[in-house]
Amino acid sequence: MRNLHIAVERFPIAGKFTISRGAKTEAVVVVASIEEGGARGRGECVPYARYGETVDAVCARIESVRAAIEAGADRGRLQTLLSPGAARNALDCALWDLAAKSGGVPAYALASLPTPAPATTAFTISVASPEEMAAAAARANWRPLLKIKLAGAGDPARIAAVRAAAPDATLIVDANEAWTEADLSSHLEACAEAGVALVEQPLPAGRDAALARIQRIIPVCADESVHARQGLADLADRYDVVNLKLDKTGGLTEMLAMAAEAEAAGFGLVIGCMVATSLAMAPALLLAGRARFLDLDGPLLLERDRADGLVFEGSVIHPASPALWG
């Protein structure tokens, strides 16, 4: 007999995490646990207001399929019960974990993927004044890959300040939809002058057609503009890379399918995350070897991670232990 448990957990952020849409000081996550035959599978998600999600609504969506899950619904059935989003992610990853624990077979083997290897993640610098961002970049300038959050007006000065403070790091920037068509070219030129390797979601989703009309002097990555496979076809003339996140795709099942389709269409991959614990990162690590950039620094931004969390050596993440997930 199966039992589903739903829990809301809070983890303080070290300092403050700030993007163009605002700041937060804690990560609020929803954990779905499925117990069956003495085994327990877990999945963690982050309800995201940008996509119209709240903690209560995500919990209610998980609760709405309790009967089906406890009656034995598998990952395939789950795809028809819930649309992409945080609720389906928690359940899907819990079902992967449960299958691995029940069968004694690692999740990567169940997915016919190679054995995970240690991989280097980006480390995020929150948006602030150029001086504040330079100071944060200087403290992190020993890390090989920095992700710089931007906010629109004043971004060329932020980019230049960070580059001066971290001259040897590879930089990727994330505008979180904050740029406009009017400043697109000048901001891209500022990125090029600083040697930025990737620009993520410069324009608002649904208002990004200008990306097809310019010469993209730096690879541009879609984040808010794409969630699951059905949105990929609309990106071909505007983006070079897609950011895959479990909370957008609604779990590992769709992420795997989307990764394959995106690669077949010629897109590069970024494997990203919301600010969350190691439990939310672990399933995404299965795709680390296929990513142009890995952005799974959520646990590094927290004051504390959960027990049996991922092992970080600097910016290098080691694969999850079975005690954590998979």
Side-chain angles (χ1 to χ4, degrees), residues 178-204:
W179 293 1
T180 67
E181 185 174 343
D183 57 30
L184 180 60
S185 294
S186 62
H187 284 13
L188 285 175
E189 288 170 2
C191 289
E193 289 175 7
V196 169
L198 184 80
V199 175
E200 187 172 317
Q201 199 64 47
L203 299 178

Side-chain angles (χ1 to χ4, degrees), residues 120-124 143-147 169-172 292-295 315:
T120 298
T121 181
F123 180 79
T124 300
R143 294 184 182 273
L145 177 61
L146 298 179
K147 182 174 185 177
T170 297
L171 300 184
I172 56 180
R292 185 176 299 188
F293 295 109
L294 189 68
D295 181 23
S315 291

Side-chain angles (χ1 to χ4, degrees), residues 209-236:
L211 292 170
R213 300 193 296 267
I214 65 167
Q215 180 182 4
R216 296 193 295 274
I217 56 177
I218 296 171
V220 178
C221 175
D223 184 4
E224 287 89 345
S225 285
V226 64
H227 292 242
R229 280 173 291 171
Q230 60 265 34
L232 281 172
D234 298 330
L235 305 182

Side-chain angles (χ1 to χ4, degrees), residues 4-317:
L4 169 65
H5 303 276
I6 307 166
V8 177
E9 301 176 1
R10 298 174 181 273
F11 292 83
I13 290 172
K16 183 168 61 175
F17 179 78
T18 307
I19 66 173
S20 61
R21 284 189 289 272
K24 61 181 182 179
T25 57
E26 67 174 358
V28 183
V29 305
V30 178
V31 177
S33 300
I34 303 173
E35 298 178 355
E36 183 177 32
R40 181 182 67 157
R42 297 184 300 165
E44 177 181 313
C45 71
V46 179
Y48 197 37
R50 169 63 180 83
Y51 303 137
E53 296 176 332
T54 66
V55 170
D56 288 345
V58 166
C59 289
R61 291 194 76 203
I62 296 173
E63 187 65 42
S64 74
V65 297
R66 173 184 293 277
I69 294 298
E70 293 187 338
D74 62 9
R75 297 188 300 272
R77 172 65 174 147
L78 178 62
Q79 310 309 301
T80 69
L81 293 172
L82 292 175
S83 57
R88 194 177 77 183
N89 174 34
L91 288 168
D92 184 72
C93 290
L95 288 170
W96 277 99
D97 191 28
L98 180 65
K101 299 291 197 304
S102 297
V105 178
Y108 69 83
L110 293 176
S112 300
L113 295 172
T115 304
T120 298
T121 181
F123 180 79
T124 300
I125 304 296
S126 287
V127 67
S129 69
E131 295 77 16
E132 291 170 313
M133 293 182 71
R139 291 191 295 270
N141 67 5
W142 55 274
R143 294 184 182 273
L145 177 61
L146 298 179
K147 182 174 185 177
I148 312 306
K149 291 291 188 177
L150 297 175
D155 281 348
R158 293 184 178 98
I159 295 162
V162 168
R163 172 49 80 202
D168 298 324
T170 297
L171 300 184
I172 56 180
V173 305
D174 184 4
N176 284 115
E177 306 180 278
W179 293 1
T180 67
E181 185 174 343
D183 57 30
L184 180 60
S185 294
S186 62
H187 284 13
L188 285 175
E189 288 170 2
C191 289
E193 289 175 7
V196 169
L198 184 80
V199 175
E200 187 172 317
Q201 199 64 47
L203 299 178
R207 289 183 283 155
D208 52 5
L211 292 170
R213 300 193 296 267
I214 65 167
Q215 180 182 4
R216 296 193 295 274
I217 56 177
I218 296 171
V220 178
C221 175
D223 184 4
E224 287 89 345
S225 285
V226 64
H227 292 242
R229 280 173 291 171
Q230 60 265 34
L232 281 172
D234 298 330
L235 305 182
D237 61 344
R238 287 172 281 163
Y239 293 96
D240 311 290
V241 180
V242 294
N243 188 324
L244 304 185
K245 293 178 180 175
L246 290 163
D247 279 313
K248 291 194 302 177
T249 64
L252 181 61
T253 300
E254 174 63 20
M255 181 183 274
L256 291 170
M258 186 176 178
E261 194 165 312
E263 289 169 329
F267 292 106
L269 303 181
V270 169
I271 306 301
C273 69
M274 306 301 186
V275 182
T277 79
S278 286
L279 180 59
M281 310 297 126
L285 273 173
L286 300 192
L287 283 163
R290 291 157 65 175
R292 185 176 299 188
F293 295 109
L294 189 68
D295 181 23
L296 297 179
D297 64 341
L300 293 177
L301 305 176
L302 302 176
E303 285 187 4
R304 60 176 177 84
D305 196 4
R306 62 176 70 249
D308 300 312
L310 294 166
V311 174
F312 288 83
E313 290 183 325
S315 291
V316 174
I317 314 178

